[in-house]
Amino acid sequence: MKLILLGPPGAGKGTQAVRISERYGIPQLSTGDMLRAAVAAETPVGLAAKDIMARGELVPDDVVVQIISDRIDQPDCKNGFILDGFPRTVAQAEALEGLLKSKNMQLDSVVELAVDDAILIERIEKRAKETVGGPRADDNAEALKKRLDVYHAQTTPLISHYSGKEILRSVDGMSEIDRVTSDIISVLESA
Ligand code: AMP
């Protein structure tokens, strides 16, 4: 199963991706996690991405597309994967379509986690306080506002992009965590 979890920062994509990954035995591919690892390891990609991420802006499309292309080539992705935080622009979605085609793969579902902005802000403030080892560099009020603006401007166009392809399913991301998981599973299994 190859799926995209789509939703704003704080929607619960990471939490749900871990659960879906365990249920179906397919890896969670989070570009945010991969970029944070690159920043921590001070690789060339990490050094270039660090300040962009701290401001809450998007890393260039070609950088994340390359990261995902390399990751999908790993043997553990053979039976599927969950994309968490990628694609984030229509250009990334188009690049993904091209690279899946070139690898003879096909996307099965895009699941949107719908959450109101006011709830996102609350959740991210809570995450910033609770993260062991200190908050993420971009979990502060200014970067969060930027991340939400970027989401509305650059990522929400993906919703109509994928609904046009009839693979979009929407789940209420404001329900409690177990309910969101079971709703995701039921939309995946009825797809
Ligand atoms: P996330 O952990 O998904 O919230 O991502 C954290 C940050 O990493 C984002 O605010 C961006 O700066 C960067 N990032 C993650 N995924 C992408 C992507 N697909 N395209 C561009 N930037 C990304």
Side-chain angles (χ1 to χ4, degrees), residues 46-90:
L47 293 173
K50 185 176 180 183
D51 292 344
I52 300 174
M53 292 172 72
R55 288 195 299 270
E57 294 169 6
L58 293 185
V59 171
D61 290 337
D62 56 336
V63 173
V64 285
V65 168
Q66 189 61 50
I67 290 177
I68 284 295
S69 175
D70 293 345
R71 184 65 186 85
I72 288 176
D73 288 338
Q74 300 298 308
D76 63 332
C77 291
K78 216 175 65 190
N79 296 326
F81 45 79
I82 305 162
L83 294 172
D84 160 11
F86 178 92
R88 258 179 158 94
T89 64
V90 172

mmCIF file of all heavy atoms in Angstrom, residues 46-90:
data_model
loop_
_atom_site.group_PDB
_atom_site.id
_atom_site.type_symbol
_atom_site.label_atom_id
_atom_site.label_comp_id
_atom_site.label_asym_id
_atom_site.label_seq_id
_atom_site.Cartn_x
_atom_site.Cartn_y
_atom_site.Cartn_z
ATOM 1 N N GLY A 46 21.591 19.176 5.129
ATOM 2 C CA GLY A 46 21.190 19.687 6.443
ATOM 3 C C GLY A 46 21.630 21.126 6.645
ATOM 4 O O GLY A 46 20.850 21.956 7.136
ATOM 5 N N LEU A 47 22.857 21.414 6.253
ATOM 6 C CA LEU A 47 23.361 22.785 6.437
ATOM 7 C C LEU A 47 22.542 23.773 5.611
ATOM 8 O O LEU A 47 22.230 24.869 6.059
ATOM 9 C CB LEU A 47 24.852 22.862 6.073
ATOM 10 C CG LEU A 47 25.776 22.082 7.031
ATOM 11 C CD1 LEU A 47 27.214 22.062 6.526
ATOM 12 C CD2 LEU A 47 25.717 22.671 8.450
ATOM 13 N N ALA A 48 22.157 23.344 4.398
ATOM 14 C CA ALA A 48 21.376 24.239 3.527
ATOM 15 C C ALA A 48 19.942 24.390 4.035
ATOM 16 O O ALA A 48 19.309 25.442 3.855
ATOM 17 C CB ALA A 48 21.382 23.700 2.095
ATOM 18 N N ALA A 49 19.419 23.340 4.695
ATOM 19 C CA ALA A 49 18.005 23.351 5.097
ATOM 20 C C ALA A 49 17.771 24.008 6.455
ATOM 21 O O ALA A 49 16.661 24.468 6.745
ATOM 22 C CB ALA A 49 17.472 21.912 5.133
ATOM 23 N N LYS A 50 18.811 24.045 7.296
ATOM 24 C CA LYS A 50 18.633 24.405 8.709
ATOM 25 C C LYS A 50 17.869 25.722 8.921
ATOM 26 O O LYS A 50 16.854 25.762 9.626
ATOM 27 C CB LYS A 50 20.010 24.485 9.371
ATOM 28 C CG LYS A 50 19.940 24.734 10.851
ATOM 29 C CD LYS A 50 21.309 24.703 11.495
ATOM 30 C CE LYS A 50 21.121 24.968 12.984
ATOM 31 N NZ LYS A 50 22.376 25.025 13.689
ATOM 32 N N ASP A 51 18.330 26.803 8.303
ATOM 33 C CA ASP A 51 17.699 28.107 8.553
ATOM 34 C C ASP A 51 16.316 28.192 7.906
ATOM 35 O O ASP A 51 15.404 28.805 8.454
ATOM 36 C CB ASP A 51 18.600 29.243 8.041
ATOM 37 C CG ASP A 51 19.875 29.348 8.868
ATOM 38 O OD1 ASP A 51 19.901 28.764 9.974
ATOM 39 O OD2 ASP A 51 20.845 29.985 8.409
ATOM 40 N N ILE A 52 16.168 27.569 6.755
ATOM 41 C CA ILE A 52 14.864 27.564 6.069
ATOM 42 C C ILE A 52 13.832 26.907 6.975
ATOM 43 O O ILE A 52 12.726 27.420 7.181
ATOM 44 C CB ILE A 52 14.957 26.775 4.730
ATOM 45 C CG1 ILE A 52 15.981 27.405 3.790
ATOM 46 C CG2 ILE A 52 13.585 26.652 4.077
ATOM 47 C CD1 ILE A 52 16.226 26.606 2.511
ATOM 48 N N MET A 53 14.212 25.771 7.555
ATOM 49 C CA MET A 53 13.289 25.031 8.432
ATOM 50 C C MET A 53 12.980 25.833 9.694
ATOM 51 O O MET A 53 11.829 25.892 10.127
ATOM 52 C CB MET A 53 13.877 23.670 8.804
ATOM 53 C CG MET A 53 13.963 22.730 7.622
ATOM 54 S SD MET A 53 14.861 21.223 8.030
ATOM 55 C CE MET A 53 13.684 20.386 9.081
ATOM 56 N N ALA A 54 14.000 26.443 10.276
ATOM 57 C CA ALA A 54 13.773 27.201 11.518
ATOM 58 C C ALA A 54 12.808 28.362 11.279
ATOM 59 O O ALA A 54 12.055 28.743 12.170
ATOM 60 C CB ALA A 54 15.100 27.706 12.067
ATOM 61 N N ARG A 55 12.809 28.900 10.053
ATOM 62 C CA ARG A 55 11.867 29.998 9.740
ATOM 63 C C ARG A 55 10.467 29.471 9.430
ATOM 64 O O ARG A 55 9.528 30.253 9.304
ATOM 65 C CB ARG A 55 12.372 30.793 8.527
ATOM 66 C CG ARG A 55 13.596 31.659 8.799
ATOM 67 C CD ARG A 55 13.808 32.685 7.682
ATOM 68 N NE ARG A 55 14.030 32.091 6.375
ATOM 69 C CZ ARG A 55 15.227 31.766 5.879
ATOM 70 N NH1 ARG A 55 16.312 31.978 6.576
ATOM 71 N NH2 ARG A 55 15.332 31.233 4.682
ATOM 72 N N GLY A 56 10.326 28.178 9.222
ATOM 73 C CA GLY A 56 9.015 27.615 8.903
ATOM 74 C C GLY A 56 8.707 27.665 7.414
ATOM 75 O O GLY A 56 7.559 27.489 7.000
ATOM 76 N N GLU A 57 9.759 27.884 6.615
ATOM 77 C CA GLU A 57 9.552 27.916 5.157
ATOM 78 C C GLU A 57 9.823 26.537 4.562
ATOM 79 O O GLU A 57 10.280 25.637 5.264
ATOM 80 C CB GLU A 57 10.498 28.962 4.542
ATOM 81 C CG GLU A 57 10.135 30.366 4.989
ATOM 82 C CD GLU A 57 11.182 31.405 4.622
ATOM 83 O OE1 GLU A 57 12.156 31.077 3.912
ATOM 84 O OE2 GLU A 57 11.018 32.550 5.072
ATOM 85 N N LEU A 58 9.580 26.397 3.263
ATOM 86 C CA LEU A 58 9.797 25.097 2.621
ATOM 87 C C LEU A 58 11.196 24.988 2.027
ATOM 88 O O LEU A 58 11.695 25.928 1.397
ATOM 89 C CB LEU A 58 8.762 24.858 1.511
ATOM 90 C CG LEU A 58 7.314 24.685 1.939
ATOM 91 C CD1 LEU A 58 6.445 24.334 0.721
ATOM 92 C CD2 LEU A 58 7.153 23.608 3.023
ATOM 93 N N VAL A 59 11.784 23.828 2.216
ATOM 94 C CA VAL A 59 13.051 23.476 1.585
ATOM 95 C C VAL A 59 12.762 23.318 0.074
ATOM 96 O O VAL A 59 11.649 22.919 -0.291
ATOM 97 C CB VAL A 59 13.554 22.152 2.245
ATOM 98 C CG1 VAL A 59 14.736 21.566 1.537
ATOM 99 C CG2 VAL A 59 13.824 22.391 3.727
ATOM 100 N N PRO A 60 13.730 23.646 -0.810
ATOM 101 C CA PRO A 60 13.436 23.560 -2.250
ATOM 102 C C PRO A 60 12.918 22.175 -2.689
ATOM 103 O O PRO A 60 13.368 21.140 -2.188
ATOM 104 C CB PRO A 60 14.790 23.869 -2.909
ATOM 105 C CG PRO A 60 15.519 24.698 -1.899
ATOM 106 C CD PRO A 60 15.072 24.185 -0.548
ATOM 107 N N ASP A 61 11.990 22.209 -3.639
ATOM 108 C CA ASP A 61 11.354 20.982 -4.129
ATOM 109 C C ASP A 61 12.376 19.924 -4.558
ATOM 110 O O ASP A 61 12.245 18.749 -4.224
ATOM 111 C CB ASP A 61 10.452 21.304 -5.339
ATOM 112 C CG ASP A 61 9.203 22.092 -4.944
ATOM 113 O OD1 ASP A 61 8.789 22.027 -3.768
ATOM 114 O OD2 ASP A 61 8.631 22.772 -5.829
ATOM 115 N N ASP A 62 13.412 20.354 -5.331
ATOM 116 C CA ASP A 62 14.348 19.351 -5.862
ATOM 117 C C ASP A 62 15.069 18.606 -4.741
ATOM 118 O O ASP A 62 15.371 17.415 -4.869
ATOM 119 C CB ASP A 62 15.335 19.965 -6.869
ATOM 120 C CG ASP A 62 16.117 21.129 -6.282
ATOM 121 O OD1 ASP A 62 15.627 21.750 -5.322
ATOM 122 O OD2 ASP A 62 17.229 21.408 -6.766
ATOM 123 N N VAL A 63 15.295 19.279 -3.621
ATOM 124 C CA VAL A 63 16.005 18.645 -2.498
ATOM 125 C C VAL A 63 15.133 17.534 -1.901
ATOM 126 O O VAL A 63 15.582 16.394 -1.734
ATOM 127 C CB VAL A 63 16.359 19.696 -1.412
ATOM 128 C CG1 VAL A 63 16.929 19.027 -0.165
ATOM 129 C CG2 VAL A 63 17.316 20.740 -1.971
ATOM 130 N N VAL A 64 13.869 17.853 -1.604
ATOM 131 C CA VAL A 64 13.014 16.833 -0.963
ATOM 132 C C VAL A 64 12.635 15.726 -1.943
ATOM 133 O O VAL A 64 12.511 14.559 -1.552
ATOM 134 C CB VAL A 64 11.756 17.445 -0.284
ATOM 135 C CG1 VAL A 64 12.116 18.139 1.006
ATOM 136 C CG2 VAL A 64 10.990 18.362 -1.188
ATOM 137 N N VAL A 65 12.483 16.066 -3.216
ATOM 138 C CA VAL A 65 12.145 15.031 -4.213
ATOM 139 C C VAL A 65 13.290 14.015 -4.297
ATOM 140 O O VAL A 65 13.063 12.802 -4.321
ATOM 141 C CB VAL A 65 11.844 15.667 -5.595
ATOM 142 C CG1 VAL A 65 11.780 14.603 -6.686
ATOM 143 C CG2 VAL A 65 10.533 16.465 -5.545
ATOM 144 N N GLN A 66 14.526 14.501 -4.264
ATOM 145 C CA GLN A 66 15.686 13.600 -4.321
ATOM 146 C C GLN A 66 15.748 12.706 -3.081
ATOM 147 O O GLN A 66 15.989 11.497 -3.176
ATOM 148 C CB GLN A 66 16.977 14.425 -4.451
ATOM 149 C CG GLN A 66 18.216 13.578 -4.732
ATOM 150 C CD GLN A 66 18.111 12.812 -6.047
ATOM 151 O OE1 GLN A 66 17.795 13.404 -7.082
ATOM 152 N NE2 GLN A 66 18.320 11.499 -6.011
ATOM 153 N N ILE A 67 15.469 13.316 -1.916
ATOM 154 C CA ILE A 67 15.489 12.535 -0.666
ATOM 155 C C ILE A 67 14.475 11.391 -0.753
ATOM 156 O O ILE A 67 14.759 10.246 -0.425
ATOM 157 C CB ILE A 67 15.163 13.450 0.550
ATOM 158 C CG1 ILE A 67 16.322 14.417 0.810
ATOM 159 C CG2 ILE A 67 14.840 12.638 1.802
ATOM 160 C CD1 ILE A 67 16.048 15.419 1.947
ATOM 161 N N ILE A 68 13.270 11.722 -1.218
ATOM 162 C CA ILE A 68 12.209 10.704 -1.298
ATOM 163 C C ILE A 68 12.522 9.661 -2.365
ATOM 164 O O ILE A 68 12.337 8.455 -2.149
ATOM 165 C CB ILE A 68 10.835 11.393 -1.555
ATOM 166 C CG1 ILE A 68 10.325 12.040 -0.260
ATOM 167 C CG2 ILE A 68 9.799 10.431 -2.106
ATOM 168 C CD1 ILE A 68 9.988 11.047 0.874
ATOM 169 N N SER A 69 13.050 10.104 -3.492
ATOM 170 C CA SER A 69 13.379 9.155 -4.552
ATOM 171 C C SER A 69 14.399 8.132 -4.045
ATOM 172 O O SER A 69 14.229 6.919 -4.229
ATOM 173 C CB SER A 69 13.925 9.915 -5.765
ATOM 174 O OG SER A 69 14.341 9.013 -6.752
ATOM 175 N N ASP A 70 15.431 8.608 -3.349
ATOM 176 C CA ASP A 70 16.454 7.693 -2.815
ATOM 177 C C ASP A 70 15.852 6.762 -1.767
ATOM 178 O O ASP A 70 16.164 5.569 -1.723
ATOM 179 C CB ASP A 70 17.603 8.484 -2.157
ATOM 180 C CG ASP A 70 18.411 9.284 -3.175
ATOM 181 O OD1 ASP A 70 18.279 9.016 -4.389
ATOM 182 O OD2 ASP A 70 19.159 10.195 -2.747
ATOM 183 N N ARG A 71 14.969 7.307 -0.948
ATOM 184 C CA ARG A 71 14.402 6.505 0.154
ATOM 185 C C ARG A 71 13.490 5.399 -0.380
ATOM 186 O O ARG A 71 13.496 4.269 0.123
ATOM 187 C CB ARG A 71 13.649 7.446 1.115
ATOM 188 C CG ARG A 71 13.083 6.771 2.347
ATOM 189 C CD ARG A 71 14.169 6.211 3.259
ATOM 190 N NE ARG A 71 13.587 5.437 4.359
ATOM 191 C CZ ARG A 71 13.248 4.156 4.278
ATOM 192 N NH1 ARG A 71 13.430 3.465 3.150
ATOM 193 N NH2 ARG A 71 12.717 3.527 5.317
ATOM 194 N N ILE A 72 12.713 5.745 -1.420
ATOM 195 C CA ILE A 72 11.781 4.759 -1.989
ATOM 196 C C ILE A 72 12.533 3.586 -2.634
ATOM 197 O O ILE A 72 11.999 2.486 -2.755
ATOM 198 C CB ILE A 72 10.845 5.461 -3.013
ATOM 199 C CG1 ILE A 72 9.839 6.341 -2.271
ATOM 200 C CG2 ILE A 72 10.091 4.453 -3.883
ATOM 201 C CD1 ILE A 72 8.947 7.151 -3.193
ATOM 202 N N ASP A 73 13.791 3.827 -3.012
ATOM 203 C CA ASP A 73 14.592 2.762 -3.618
ATOM 204 C C ASP A 73 15.085 1.738 -2.596
ATOM 205 O O ASP A 73 15.601 0.685 -2.974
ATOM 206 C CB ASP A 73 15.807 3.352 -4.353
ATOM 207 C CG ASP A 73 15.396 4.055 -5.637
ATOM 208 O OD1 ASP A 73 14.307 3.745 -6.161
ATOM 209 O OD2 ASP A 73 16.162 4.917 -6.116
ATOM 210 N N GLN A 74 14.933 2.028 -1.307
ATOM 211 C CA GLN A 74 15.392 1.085 -0.283
ATOM 212 C C GLN A 74 14.468 -0.138 -0.268
ATOM 213 O O GLN A 74 13.267 -0.014 -0.524
ATOM 214 C CB GLN A 74 15.371 1.745 1.109
ATOM 215 C CG GLN A 74 16.261 2.977 1.246
ATOM 216 C CD GLN A 74 17.726 2.649 1.025
ATOM 217 O OE1 GLN A 74 18.248 1.741 1.651
ATOM 218 N NE2 GLN A 74 18.373 3.367 0.119
ATOM 219 N N PRO A 75 15.035 -1.315 0.018
ATOM 220 C CA PRO A 75 14.242 -2.563 -0.067
ATOM 221 C C PRO A 75 12.991 -2.572 0.819
ATOM 222 O O PRO A 75 11.989 -3.190 0.463
ATOM 223 C CB PRO A 75 15.215 -3.656 0.400
ATOM 224 C CG PRO A 75 16.558 -3.026 0.494
ATOM 225 C CD PRO A 75 16.439 -1.550 0.367
ATOM 226 N N ASP A 76 13.015 -1.852 1.967
ATOM 227 C CA ASP A 76 11.848 -1.904 2.858
ATOM 228 C C ASP A 76 10.632 -1.180 2.279
ATOM 229 O O ASP A 76 9.539 -1.270 2.830
ATOM 230 C CB ASP A 76 12.185 -1.344 4.253
ATOM 231 C CG ASP A 76 12.577 0.117 4.228
ATOM 232 O OD1 ASP A 76 13.093 0.583 3.196
ATOM 233 O OD2 ASP A 76 12.361 0.818 5.237
ATOM 234 N N CYS A 77 10.807 -0.479 1.164
ATOM 235 C CA CYS A 77 9.669 0.235 0.551
ATOM 236 C C CYS A 77 8.996 -0.580 -0.546
ATOM 237 O O CYS A 77 8.050 -0.099 -1.185
ATOM 238 C CB CYS A 77 10.145 1.568 -0.033
ATOM 239 S SG CYS A 77 10.627 2.747 1.250
ATOM 240 N N LYS A 78 9.510 -1.803 -0.753
ATOM 241 C CA LYS A 78 9.025 -2.606 -1.870
ATOM 242 C C LYS A 78 7.516 -2.850 -1.812
ATOM 243 O O LYS A 78 6.826 -2.801 -2.827
ATOM 244 C CB LYS A 78 9.769 -3.947 -1.889
ATOM 245 C CG LYS A 78 10.031 -4.437 -3.292
ATOM 246 C CD LYS A 78 10.860 -5.696 -3.294
ATOM 247 C CE LYS A 78 10.043 -6.779 -2.651
ATOM 248 N NZ LYS A 78 10.569 -8.005 -2.316
ATOM 249 N N ASN A 79 6.998 -3.100 -0.590
ATOM 250 C CA ASN A 79 5.560 -3.397 -0.475
ATOM 251 C C ASN A 79 4.705 -2.187 -0.149
ATOM 252 O O ASN A 79 3.506 -2.316 0.061
ATOM 253 C CB ASN A 79 5.328 -4.466 0.584
ATOM 254 C CG ASN A 79 5.958 -5.771 0.174
ATOM 255 O OD1 ASN A 79 5.985 -6.088 -1.019
ATOM 256 N ND2 ASN A 79 6.500 -6.494 1.129
ATOM 257 N N GLY A 80 5.334 -1.033 -0.068
ATOM 258 C CA GLY A 80 4.560 0.173 0.190
ATOM 259 C C GLY A 80 5.220 1.080 1.206
ATOM 260 O O GLY A 80 6.278 0.752 1.757
ATOM 261 N N PHE A 81 4.593 2.218 1.416
ATOM 262 C CA PHE A 81 5.135 3.219 2.348
ATOM 263 C C PHE A 81 4.067 4.265 2.609
ATOM 264 O O PHE A 81 3.076 4.362 1.881
ATOM 265 C CB PHE A 81 6.395 3.874 1.751
ATOM 266 C CG PHE A 81 6.265 4.263 0.311
ATOM 267 C CD1 PHE A 81 5.594 5.411 -0.052
ATOM 268 C CD2 PHE A 81 6.786 3.448 -0.693
ATOM 269 C CE1 PHE A 81 5.447 5.760 -1.381
ATOM 270 C CE2 PHE A 81 6.637 3.790 -2.033
ATOM 271 C CZ PHE A 81 5.970 4.953 -2.369
ATOM 272 N N ILE A 82 4.323 5.004 3.683
ATOM 273 C CA ILE A 82 3.438 6.118 4.034
ATOM 274 C C ILE A 82 4.240 7.399 3.902
ATOM 275 O O ILE A 82 5.259 7.563 4.586
ATOM 276 C CB ILE A 82 2.967 6.002 5.496
ATOM 277 C CG1 ILE A 82 2.312 4.648 5.719
ATOM 278 C CG2 ILE A 82 2.023 7.145 5.858
ATOM 279 C CD1 ILE A 82 2.223 4.291 7.199
ATOM 280 N N LEU A 83 3.820 8.281 3.046
ATOM 281 C CA LEU A 83 4.500 9.571 2.918
ATOM 282 C C LEU A 83 3.887 10.540 3.918
ATOM 283 O O LEU A 83 2.670 10.762 3.913
ATOM 284 C CB LEU A 83 4.369 10.102 1.486
ATOM 285 C CG LEU A 83 5.090 9.261 0.433
ATOM 286 C CD1 LEU A 83 4.732 9.748 -0.968
ATOM 287 C CD2 LEU A 83 6.600 9.309 0.632
ATOM 288 N N ASP A 84 4.735 11.069 4.784
ATOM 289 C CA ASP A 84 4.286 11.957 5.863
ATOM 290 C C ASP A 84 5.019 13.292 5.687
ATOM 291 O O ASP A 84 6.240 13.359 5.900
ATOM 292 C CB ASP A 84 4.618 11.257 7.203
ATOM 293 C CG ASP A 84 4.663 12.193 8.407
ATOM 294 O OD1 ASP A 84 4.251 13.360 8.287
ATOM 295 O OD2 ASP A 84 5.140 11.741 9.472
ATOM 296 N N GLY A 85 4.287 14.312 5.253
ATOM 297 C CA GLY A 85 4.926 15.621 5.067
ATOM 298 C C GLY A 85 5.482 15.824 3.665
ATOM 299 O O GLY A 85 6.166 16.800 3.388
ATOM 300 N N PHE A 86 5.206 14.904 2.779
ATOM 301 C CA PHE A 86 5.598 14.998 1.373
ATOM 302 C C PHE A 86 4.500 14.354 0.548
ATOM 303 O O PHE A 86 4.050 13.264 0.931
ATOM 304 C CB PHE A 86 6.927 14.269 1.123
ATOM 305 C CG PHE A 86 7.345 14.294 -0.331
ATOM 306 C CD1 PHE A 86 8.169 15.296 -0.808
ATOM 307 C CD2 PHE A 86 6.877 13.331 -1.216
ATOM 308 C CE1 PHE A 86 8.538 15.337 -2.152
ATOM 309 C CE2 PHE A 86 7.224 13.369 -2.558
ATOM 310 C CZ PHE A 86 8.062 14.364 -3.019
ATOM 311 N N PRO A 87 4.050 14.915 -0.577
ATOM 312 C CA PRO A 87 4.442 16.205 -1.133
ATOM 313 C C PRO A 87 3.792 17.370 -0.393
ATOM 314 O O PRO A 87 2.769 17.204 0.272
ATOM 315 C CB PRO A 87 3.936 16.116 -2.573
ATOM 316 C CG PRO A 87 2.770 15.189 -2.510
ATOM 317 C CD PRO A 87 3.087 14.206 -1.431
ATOM 318 N N ARG A 88 4.379 18.539 -0.542
ATOM 319 C CA ARG A 88 3.852 19.744 0.102
ATOM 320 C C ARG A 88 3.551 20.842 -0.904
ATOM 321 O O ARG A 88 3.066 21.899 -0.507
ATOM 322 C CB ARG A 88 4.882 20.263 1.079
ATOM 323 C CG ARG A 88 4.608 19.941 2.556
ATOM 324 C CD ARG A 88 5.765 20.521 3.333
ATOM 325 N NE ARG A 88 5.542 20.786 4.707
ATOM 326 C CZ ARG A 88 5.828 19.953 5.698
ATOM 327 N NH1 ARG A 88 6.228 18.739 5.444
ATOM 328 N NH2 ARG A 88 5.687 20.348 6.941
ATOM 329 N N THR A 89 3.864 20.591 -2.152
ATOM 330 C CA THR A 89 3.527 21.556 -3.224
ATOM 331 C C THR A 89 3.035 20.741 -4.419
ATOM 332 O O THR A 89 3.326 19.534 -4.516
ATOM 333 C CB THR A 89 4.773 22.363 -3.679
ATOM 334 O OG1 THR A 89 5.719 21.450 -4.261
ATOM 335 C CG2 THR A 89 5.447 23.113 -2.533
ATOM 336 N N VAL A 90 2.320 21.427 -5.322
ATOM 337 C CA VAL A 90 1.852 20.720 -6.521
ATOM 338 C C VAL A 90 3.057 20.245 -7.336
ATOM 339 O O VAL A 90 3.055 19.130 -7.880
ATOM 340 C CB VAL A 90 0.895 21.611 -7.349
ATOM 341 C CG1 VAL A 90 0.567 20.959 -8.680
ATOM 342 C CG2 VAL A 90 -0.392 21.879 -6.553
#
